[in-house]
CSV table of all heavy atoms in Angstrom, one decimal:
chain,number,residue,atom,x,y,z
N,43,ALA,N,-23.0,7.1,32.5
N,43,ALA,CA,-24.2,8.0,32.1
N,43,ALA,C,-24.6,8.7,33.5
N,43,ALA,O,-24.5,8.2,34.6
N,43,ALA,CB,-25.3,7.1,31.8
N,44,VAL,N,-24.9,10.0,33.2
N,44,VAL,CA,-25.4,10.9,34.3
N,44,VAL,C,-26.7,11.5,34.0
N,44,VAL,O,-26.8,12.1,32.9
N,44,VAL,CB,-24.3,12.0,34.6
N,44,VAL,CG1,-24.8,12.9,35.8
N,44,VAL,CG2,-22.9,11.4,35.1
N,45,ARG,N,-27.7,11.5,34.9
N,45,ARG,CA,-29.0,12.0,34.7
N,45,ARG,C,-29.0,13.4,35.2
N,45,ARG,O,-28.6,13.6,36.4
N,45,ARG,CB,-30.1,11.2,35.3
N,45,ARG,CG,-30.2,9.8,34.6
N,45,ARG,CD,-31.0,9.9,33.3
N,45,ARG,NE,-31.2,8.6,32.8
N,45,ARG,CZ,-32.0,8.5,31.6
N,45,ARG,NH1,-32.5,9.6,31.0
N,45,ARG,NH2,-32.2,7.3,31.1
N,46,LEU,N,-29.4,14.4,34.4
N,46,LEU,CA,-29.6,15.7,34.9
N,46,LEU,C,-31.0,16.0,35.2
N,46,LEU,O,-31.9,15.6,34.4
N,46,LEU,CB,-29.0,16.7,33.9
N,46,LEU,CG,-27.5,16.6,33.6
N,46,LEU,CD1,-27.1,17.5,32.5
N,46,LEU,CD2,-26.6,16.7,34.9
N,47,PRO,N,-31.5,16.7,36.2
N,47,PRO,CA,-32.9,17.0,36.5
N,47,PRO,C,-33.6,17.9,35.5
N,47,PRO,O,-34.9,17.8,35.4
N,47,PRO,CB,-32.8,17.7,37.8
N,47,PRO,CG,-31.4,18.4,37.9
N,47,PRO,CD,-30.5,17.5,37.2
N,48,TRP,N,-33.0,18.5,34.7
N,48,TRP,CA,-33.8,19.4,33.7
N,48,TRP,C,-33.8,19.0,32.4
N,48,TRP,O,-34.3,19.7,31.5
N,48,TRP,CB,-33.2,20.9,33.8
N,48,TRP,CG,-31.7,21.0,33.3
N,48,TRP,CD1,-31.3,21.1,32.1
N,48,TRP,CD2,-30.6,20.9,34.1
N,48,TRP,NE1,-29.9,21.1,32.0
N,48,TRP,CE2,-29.4,20.9,33.3
N,48,TRP,CE3,-30.4,20.7,35.5
N,48,TRP,CZ2,-28.1,20.9,33.8
N,48,TRP,CZ3,-29.1,20.6,36.0
N,48,TRP,CH2,-28.0,20.7,35.2
N,49,THR,N,-33.3,17.8,32.1
N,49,THR,CA,-33.3,17.2,30.7
N,49,THR,C,-33.6,15.7,30.8
N,49,THR,O,-33.1,15.0,31.6
N,49,THR,CB,-32.1,17.5,29.9
N,49,THR,OG1,-32.2,16.8,28.7
N,49,THR,CG2,-30.9,17.0,30.7
N,50,PRO,N,-34.4,15.1,29.9
N,50,PRO,CA,-34.6,13.7,29.8
N,50,PRO,C,-33.5,12.9,29.1
N,50,PRO,O,-33.4,11.7,29.0
N,50,PRO,CB,-35.9,13.6,29.1
N,50,PRO,CG,-36.0,14.7,28.2
N,50,PRO,CD,-35.3,15.8,28.9
N,51,VAL,N,-32.5,13.7,28.5
N,51,VAL,CA,-31.3,13.1,27.8
N,51,VAL,C,-30.2,13.0,28.7
N,51,VAL,O,-29.8,13.9,29.3
N,51,VAL,CB,-31.0,13.9,26.6
N,51,VAL,CG1,-29.9,13.2,25.8
N,51,VAL,CG2,-32.3,14.1,25.7
N,52,PRO,N,-29.8,11.8,29.0
N,52,PRO,CA,-28.6,11.5,30.0
N,52,PRO,C,-27.2,12.1,29.2
N,52,PRO,O,-27.1,12.0,28.0
N,52,PRO,CB,-28.5,10.1,30.2
N,52,PRO,CG,-29.0,9.5,28.9
N,52,PRO,CD,-30.1,10.5,28.5
N,53,VAL,N,-26.3,12.4,30.0
N,53,VAL,CA,-24.9,12.8,29.7
N,53,VAL,C,-24.2,11.4,29.6
N,53,VAL,O,-24.2,10.7,30.7
N,53,VAL,CB,-24.3,13.7,30.6
N,53,VAL,CG1,-22.8,13.9,30.2
N,53,VAL,CG2,-25.0,15.0,30.6
N,54,THR,N,-23.6,11.0,28.6
N,54,THR,CA,-22.9,9.6,28.5
N,54,THR,C,-21.5,9.9,27.8
N,54,THR,O,-21.1,10.9,27.3
N,54,THR,CB,-23.7,8.6,27.8
N,54,THR,OG1,-23.6,8.9,26.3
N,54,THR,CG2,-25.2,8.6,28.1
N,55,GLY,N,-20.8,8.7,27.8
N,55,GLY,CA,-19.6,8.7,27.1
N,55,GLY,C,-19.8,8.2,25.7
N,55,GLY,O,-18.7,8.1,25.0
N,56,GLN,N,-20.9,7.9,25.2
N,56,GLN,CA,-21.2,7.4,24.0
N,56,GLN,C,-20.6,8.1,22.8
N,56,GLN,O,-20.0,7.5,21.9
N,56,GLN,CB,-22.8,7.3,23.6
N,56,GLN,CG,-23.5,6.1,24.4
N,56,GLN,CD,-24.9,6.3,24.3
N,56,GLN,OE1,-25.5,7.4,24.7
N,56,GLN,NE2,-25.7,5.3,23.8
N,57,THR,N,-20.7,9.5,22.9
N,57,THR,CA,-20.2,10.2,21.6
N,57,THR,C,-18.7,10.1,21.6
N,57,THR,O,-18.3,10.2,20.4
N,57,THR,CB,-20.7,11.7,21.9
N,57,THR,OG1,-20.3,12.2,23.1
N,57,THR,CG2,-22.2,11.8,21.6
N,58,LEU,N,-18.0,10.0,22.6
N,58,LEU,CA,-16.6,9.7,22.4
N,58,LEU,C,-16.3,8.4,21.7
N,58,LEU,O,-15.5,8.4,20.7
N,58,LEU,CB,-15.9,9.7,23.7
N,58,LEU,CG,-14.4,9.4,23.7
N,58,LEU,CD1,-13.5,10.4,22.9
N,58,LEU,CD2,-13.8,9.2,25.2
N,59,GLY,N,-17.1,7.4,22.0
N,59,GLY,CA,-16.9,6.2,21.3
N,59,GLY,C,-17.3,6.3,19.8
N,59,GLY,O,-16.6,5.8,18.9
N,60,VAL,N,-18.4,7.0,19.5
N,60,VAL,CA,-18.8,7.2,18.2
N,60,VAL,C,-17.8,7.9,17.3
N,60,VAL,O,-17.4,7.4,16.2
N,60,VAL,CB,-20.1,8.1,18.1
N,60,VAL,CG1,-20.5,8.3,16.6
N,60,VAL,CG2,-21.2,7.3,18.7
N,61,LEU,N,-17.1,8.9,17.9
N,61,LEU,CA,-16.2,9.7,17.1
N,61,LEU,C,-14.9,8.7,16.9
N,61,LEU,O,-14.4,8.7,15.8
N,61,LEU,CB,-15.7,10.8,17.9
N,61,LEU,CG,-16.8,11.9,18.2
N,61,LEU,CD1,-16.3,13.0,19.1
N,61,LEU,CD2,-17.4,12.4,16.8
N,62,LEU,N,-14.4,8.2,17.9
N,62,LEU,CA,-13.2,7.3,17.8
N,62,LEU,C,-13.5,6.1,16.8
N,62,LEU,O,-12.6,5.7,16.0
N,62,LEU,CB,-12.7,6.8,19.1
N,62,LEU,CG,-12.1,7.8,20.1
N,62,LEU,CD1,-11.9,7.2,21.4
N,62,LEU,CD2,-10.8,8.5,19.5
N,63,VAL,N,-14.6,5.4,17.0
N,63,VAL,CA,-14.9,4.3,16.1
N,63,VAL,C,-15.0,4.7,14.7
N,63,VAL,O,-14.4,4.0,13.7
N,63,VAL,CB,-16.2,3.5,16.7
N,63,VAL,CG1,-16.7,2.6,15.5
N,63,VAL,CG2,-15.9,2.9,17.9
N,64,GLY,N,-15.6,5.8,14.5
N,64,GLY,CA,-15.8,6.2,13.0
N,64,GLY,C,-14.5,6.6,12.3
N,64,GLY,O,-14.2,6.1,11.3
N,65,ALA,N,-13.7,7.2,13.1
N,65,ALA,CA,-12.3,7.7,12.7
N,65,ALA,C,-11.4,6.5,12.5
N,65,ALA,O,-10.6,6.3,11.5
N,65,ALA,CB,-11.7,8.7,13.5
N,66,ALA,N,-11.5,5.5,13.5
N,66,ALA,CA,-10.5,4.4,13.5
N,66,ALA,C,-10.9,3.4,12.5
N,66,ALA,O,-10.0,2.7,11.8
N,66,ALA,CB,-10.5,3.9,14.9
N,67,LEU,N,-12.2,3.1,12.3
N,67,LEU,CA,-12.7,2.1,11.2
N,67,LEU,C,-12.8,2.6,10.0
N,67,LEU,O,-12.9,1.8,8.9
N,67,LEU,CB,-13.9,1.4,11.8
N,67,LEU,CG,-13.8,0.5,13.1
N,67,LEU,CD1,-15.0,0.0,13.5
N,67,LEU,CD2,-12.7,-0.6,12.9
N,68,GLY,N,-13.1,3.9,9.7
N,68,GLY,CA,-13.5,4.4,8.4
N,68,GLY,C,-14.9,4.5,8.2
N,68,GLY,O,-15.8,4.1,9.1
N,69,ARG,N,-15.3,5.1,7.1
N,69,ARG,CA,-16.7,5.4,6.8
N,69,ARG,C,-17.6,4.2,6.8
N,69,ARG,O,-18.7,4.2,7.5
N,69,ARG,CB,-16.7,6.1,5.4
N,69,ARG,CG,-18.2,6.2,4.8
N,69,ARG,CD,-18.2,6.8,3.6
N,69,ARG,NE,-17.4,6.1,2.6
N,69,ARG,CZ,-17.8,5.1,1.8
N,69,ARG,NH1,-19.1,4.7,1.9
N,69,ARG,NH2,-17.0,4.4,1.0
N,70,ARG,N,-17.3,3.2,6.1
N,70,ARG,CA,-18.2,2.0,6.0
N,70,ARG,C,-18.3,1.2,7.2
N,70,ARG,O,-19.3,0.9,7.9
N,70,ARG,CB,-17.9,1.1,4.8
N,70,ARG,CG,-18.8,-0.1,4.6
N,70,ARG,CD,-18.5,-0.8,3.3
N,70,ARG,NE,-18.6,0.1,2.1
N,70,ARG,CZ,-18.4,-0.3,0.9
N,70,ARG,NH1,-17.9,-1.4,0.6
N,70,ARG,NH2,-18.6,0.6,-0.1
N,71,LEU,N,-17.1,0.7,7.8
N,71,LEU,CA,-17.1,-0.2,9.0
N,71,LEU,C,-17.6,0.7,10.2
N,71,LEU,O,-18.2,0.0,11.1
N,71,LEU,CB,-15.7,-0.6,9.1
N,71,LEU,CG,-15.3,-1.7,8.1
N,71,LEU,CD1,-13.8,-2.2,8.4
N,71,LEU,CD2,-16.3,-2.9,7.9
N,72,GLY,N,-17.2,1.9,10.3
N,72,GLY,CA,-17.6,2.8,11.4
N,72,GLY,C,-19.1,2.8,11.5
N,72,GLY,O,-19.7,2.7,12.6
N,73,ALA,N,-19.7,3.2,10.4
N,73,ALA,CA,-21.1,3.2,10.3
N,73,ALA,C,-21.8,2.0,10.7
N,73,ALA,O,-22.8,1.9,11.5
N,73,ALA,CB,-21.6,3.8,9.0
N,74,GLN,N,-21.3,0.7,10.1
N,74,GLN,CA,-21.8,-0.4,10.4
N,74,GLN,C,-21.7,-0.8,11.9
N,74,GLN,O,-22.6,-1.4,12.5
N,74,GLN,CB,-21.0,-1.5,9.7
N,74,GLN,CG,-21.3,-1.5,8.1
N,74,GLN,CD,-20.5,-2.5,7.3
N,74,GLN,OE1,-19.6,-3.2,7.9
N,74,GLN,NE2,-20.6,-2.5,6.0
N,75,ALA,N,-20.6,-0.4,12.5
N,75,ALA,CA,-20.5,-0.7,14.0
N,75,ALA,C,-21.6,0.1,14.8
N,75,ALA,O,-22.1,-0.6,15.7
N,75,ALA,CB,-19.1,-0.2,14.5
N,76,LEU,N,-21.9,1.2,14.4
N,76,LEU,CA,-23.0,1.9,15.1
N,76,LEU,C,-24.4,1.4,14.8
N,76,LEU,O,-25.3,1.3,15.7
N,76,LEU,CB,-22.9,3.3,14.8
N,76,LEU,CG,-22.0,4.1,15.8
N,76,LEU,CD1,-22.4,3.9,17.3
N,76,LEU,CD2,-20.6,3.6,15.7
N,77,VAL,N,-24.5,0.8,13.6
N,77,VAL,CA,-25.8,0.1,13.3
N,77,VAL,C,-25.9,-1.1,14.1
N,77,VAL,O,-27.0,-1.4,14.6
N,77,VAL,CB,-25.9,-0.2,11.7
N,77,VAL,CG1,-27.1,-1.1,11.5
N,77,VAL,CG2,-26.0,1.1,11.0
N,78,VAL,N,-24.8,-1.9,14.3
N,78,VAL,CA,-24.9,-3.2,15.1
N,78,VAL,C,-25.1,-2.6,16.6
N,78,VAL,O,-25.9,-3.3,17.3
N,78,VAL,CB,-23.5,-3.8,15.0
N,78,VAL,CG1,-23.4,-4.9,16.0
N,78,VAL,CG2,-23.4,-4.5,13.6
N,79,TYR,N,-24.6,-1.6,16.9
N,79,TYR,CA,-24.8,-1.1,18.4
N,79,TYR,C,-26.3,-0.8,18.6
N,79,TYR,O,-26.9,-1.2,19.6
N,79,TYR,CB,-23.9,0.1,18.7
N,79,TYR,CG,-24.4,0.9,20.0
N,79,TYR,CD1,-24.0,0.3,21.2
N,79,TYR,CD2,-25.0,2.1,19.9
N,79,TYR,CE1,-24.3,1.0,22.3
N,79,TYR,CE2,-25.3,2.8,21.0
N,79,TYR,CZ,-25.0,2.2,22.1
N,79,TYR,OH,-25.3,3.0,23.4
N,80,LEU,N,-26.9,-0.1,17.6
N,80,LEU,CA,-28.3,0.3,17.8
N,80,LEU,C,-29.2,-1.0,17.7
N,80,LEU,O,-30.2,-1.2,18.5
N,80,LEU,CB,-28.8,1.2,16.7
N,80,LEU,CG,-28.1,2.7,16.8
N,80,LEU,CD1,-28.6,3.5,15.7
N,80,LEU,CD2,-28.4,3.3,18.0
N,81,ALA,N,-28.8,-2.0,16.8
N,81,ALA,CA,-29.6,-3.2,16.7
N,81,ALA,C,-29.5,-3.9,18.0
N,81,ALA,O,-30.5,-4.5,18.4
N,81,ALA,CB,-29.0,-4.0,15.5
N,82,ALA,N,-28.4,-4.1,18.6
N,82,ALA,CA,-28.2,-4.8,19.7
N,82,ALA,C,-29.0,-4.3,20.9
N,82,ALA,O,-29.7,-4.9,21.7
N,82,ALA,CB,-26.8,-4.8,20.2
N,83,GLY,N,-29.0,-2.9,21.0
N,83,GLY,CA,-29.8,-2.3,22.1
N,83,GLY,C,-31.2,-2.5,21.8
N,83,GLY,O,-32.0,-2.7,22.7
N,84,THR,N,-31.7,-2.3,20.5
N,84,THR,CA,-33.1,-2.5,20.2
N,84,THR,C,-33.6,-3.9,20.5
N,84,THR,O,-34.7,-4.1,20.9
N,84,THR,CB,-33.4,-2.1,18.8
N,84,THR,OG1,-32.9,-0.7,18.5
N,84,THR,CG2,-34.9,-2.2,18.4
N,85,ALA,N,-32.7,-4.9,20.3
N,85,ALA,CA,-33.0,-6.3,20.5
N,85,ALA,C,-33.1,-6.7,22.0
N,85,ALA,O,-33.6,-7.7,22.3
N,85,ALA,CB,-32.1,-7.2,19.8
N,86,GLY,N,-32.7,-5.8,22.9
N,86,GLY,CA,-32.7,-6.0,24.2
N,86,GLY,C,-31.5,-6.2,25.0
N,86,GLY,O,-31.5,-6.4,26.2
N,87,LEU,N,-30.4,-6.0,24.3
N,87,LEU,CA,-29.1,-6.1,25.1
N,87,LEU,C,-28.9,-4.7,25.8
N,87,LEU,O,-29.1,-3.6,25.2
N,87,LEU,CB,-27.9,-6.3,24.1
N,87,LEU,CG,-27.9,-7.8,23.4
N,87,LEU,CD1,-26.7,-7.8,22.5
N,87,LEU,CD2,-27.9,-8.9,24.5
N,88,PRO,N,-28.3,-4.8,27.0
N,88,PRO,CA,-28.2,-3.5,27.9
N,88,PRO,C,-27.0,-2.6,27.4
N,88,PRO,O,-26.2,-2.5,28.3
N,88,PRO,CB,-28.2,-4.0,29.2
N,88,PRO,CG,-27.5,-5.3,29.1
N,88,PRO,CD,-28.0,-6.0,27.8
N,89,VAL,N,-27.1,-2.1,26.2
N,89,VAL,CA,-26.0,-1.4,25.7
N,89,VAL,C,-26.2,0.0,25.7
N,89,VAL,O,-25.3,0.9,25.4
N,89,VAL,CB,-25.7,-1.9,24.3
N,89,VAL,CG1,-25.2,-3.4,24.4
N,89,VAL,CG2,-26.8,-1.7,23.4
N,90,PHE,N,-27.4,0.6,25.9
N,90,PHE,CA,-27.7,2.0,25.9
N,90,PHE,C,-27.3,2.6,27.2
N,90,PHE,O,-26.8,1.9,28.1
N,90,PHE,CB,-29.2,2.2,25.5
N,90,PHE,CG,-29.6,1.9,24.2
N,90,PHE,CD1,-30.8,1.4,23.9
N,90,PHE,CD2,-28.6,2.0,23.1
N,90,PHE,CE1,-31.2,1.0,22.6
N,90,PHE,CE2,-29.0,1.6,21.8
N,90,PHE,CZ,-30.3,1.1,21.5
N,91,ALA,N,-27.6,3.9,27.4
N,91,ALA,CA,-27.1,4.6,28.6
N,91,ALA,C,-27.4,4.0,29.9
N,91,ALA,O,-28.6,3.7,30.1
N,91,ALA,CB,-27.6,6.1,28.5
N,92,GLY,N,-26.5,3.7,30.7
N,92,GLY,CA,-26.8,3.1,32.0
N,92,GLY,C,-27.4,1.8,32.0
N,92,GLY,O,-28.0,1.3,33.0
N,93,GLY,N,-27.2,0.9,30.9
N,93,GLY,CA,-27.7,-0.4,30.8
N,93,GLY,C,-29.0,-0.3,30.2
N,93,GLY,O,-29.8,-1.4,30.4
N,94,GLY,N,-29.5,0.6,29.6
N,94,GLY,CA,-30.8,0.7,29.0
N,94,GLY,C,-30.9,-0.3,27.7
N,94,GLY,O,-29.9,-0.5,27.1
N,95,ALA,N,-32.1,-0.7,27.4
N,95,ALA,CA,-32.3,-1.5,26.2
N,95,ALA,C,-33.7,-1.4,25.8
N,95,ALA,O,-34.6,-0.9,26.5
N,95,ALA,CB,-31.9,-3.0,26.6
N,96,GLY,N,-34.0,-1.9,24.6
N,96,GLY,CA,-35.3,-1.9,24.0
N,96,GLY,C,-35.6,-0.9,22.9
N,96,GLY,O,-34.9,0.2,22.9
N,97,PRO,N,-36.5,-1.2,22.1
N,97,PRO,CA,-36.9,-0.2,21.1
N,97,PRO,C,-37.5,1.1,21.5
N,97,PRO,O,-37.3,2.1,20.7
N,97,PRO,CB,-38.0,-1.0,20.2
N,97,PRO,CG,-38.6,-2.0,21.3
N,97,PRO,CD,-37.5,-2.4,22.1
N,98,GLY,N,-38.0,1.2,22.8
N,98,GLY,CA,-38.5,2.4,23.2
N,98,GLY,C,-37.4,3.5,23.3
N,98,GLY,O,-37.7,4.7,23.2
N,99,TRP,N,-36.0,3.2,23.4
N,99,TRP,CA,-35.1,4.2,23.4
N,99,TRP,C,-35.0,4.9,22.2
N,99,TRP,O,-34.6,6.1,22.1
N,99,TRP,CB,-33.6,3.5,23.6
N,99,TRP,CG,-33.4,3.3,25.0
N,99,TRP,CD1,-33.9,2.2,25.9
N,99,TRP,CD2,-32.7,4.0,25.9
N,99,TRP,NE1,-33.6,2.4,27.2
N,99,TRP,CE2,-32.8,3.4,27.3
N,99,TRP,CE3,-31.9,5.2,25.9
N,99,TRP,CZ2,-32.2,4.1,28.4
N,99,TRP,CZ3,-31.2,5.7,26.9
N,99,TRP,CH2,-31.4,5.2,28.2
N,100,LEU,N,-35.2,4.2,21.0
N,100,LEU,CA,-35.2,4.9,19.7
N,100,LEU,C,-36.4,5.8,19.5
N,100,LEU,O,-36.3,6.8,18.7
N,100,LEU,CB,-35.1,3.9,18.6
N,100,LEU,CG,-33.9,3.0,18.5
N,100,LEU,CD1,-33.9,2.2,17.3
N,100,LEU,CD2,-32.6,3.8,18.7
N,101,LEU,N,-37.4,5.6,20.2
N,101,LEU,CA,-38.7,6.5,20.2
N,101,LEU,C,-38.7,7.5,21.3
N,101,LEU,O,-39.6,8.3,21.4
N,101,LEU,CB,-39.9,5.6,20.2
N,101,LEU,CG,-40.0,4.5,19.1
N,101,LEU,CD1,-41.1,3.6,19.3
N,101,LEU,CD2,-40.1,5.2,17.7
N,102,GLY,N,-37.8,7.4,22.2
N,102,GLY,CA,-37.7,8.3,23.3
N,102,GLY,C,-37.0,9.6,23.1
N,102,GLY,O,-36.6,9.9,22.0
N,103,PRO,N,-36.7,10.3,24.1
N,103,PRO,CA,-36.0,11.6,24.1
N,103,PRO,C,-34.6,11.5,23.5
N,103,PRO,O,-34.1,12.5,23.0
N,103,PRO,CB,-36.0,12.1,25.5
N,103,PRO,CG,-36.2,11.0,26.4
N,103,PRO,CD,-37.0,10.0,25.6
N,104,SER,N,-34.0,10.3,23.7
N,104,SER,CA,-32.6,10.2,23.2
N,104,SER,C,-32.6,9.6,21.7
N,104,SER,O,-31.5,9.4,21.2
N,104,SER,CB,-31.8,9.4,24.1
N,104,SER,OG,-31.7,9.8,25.4
Side-chain angles (χ1 to χ4, degrees):
V44 176
R45 294 279 183 180
L46 301 175
W48 61 87
T49 174
V51 182
V53 177
T54 76
Q56 284 167 302
T57 48
L58 175 60
V60 172
L61 300 177
L62 288 174
V63 167
L67 290 181
R69 172 178 55 87
R70 182 171 299 177
L71 295 180
Q74 288 176 1
L76 272 299
V77 169
V78 169
Y79 169 73
L80 295 182
T84 303
L87 295 180
V89 298
F90 293 146
W99 277 79
L100 300 185
L101 301 174
S104 300

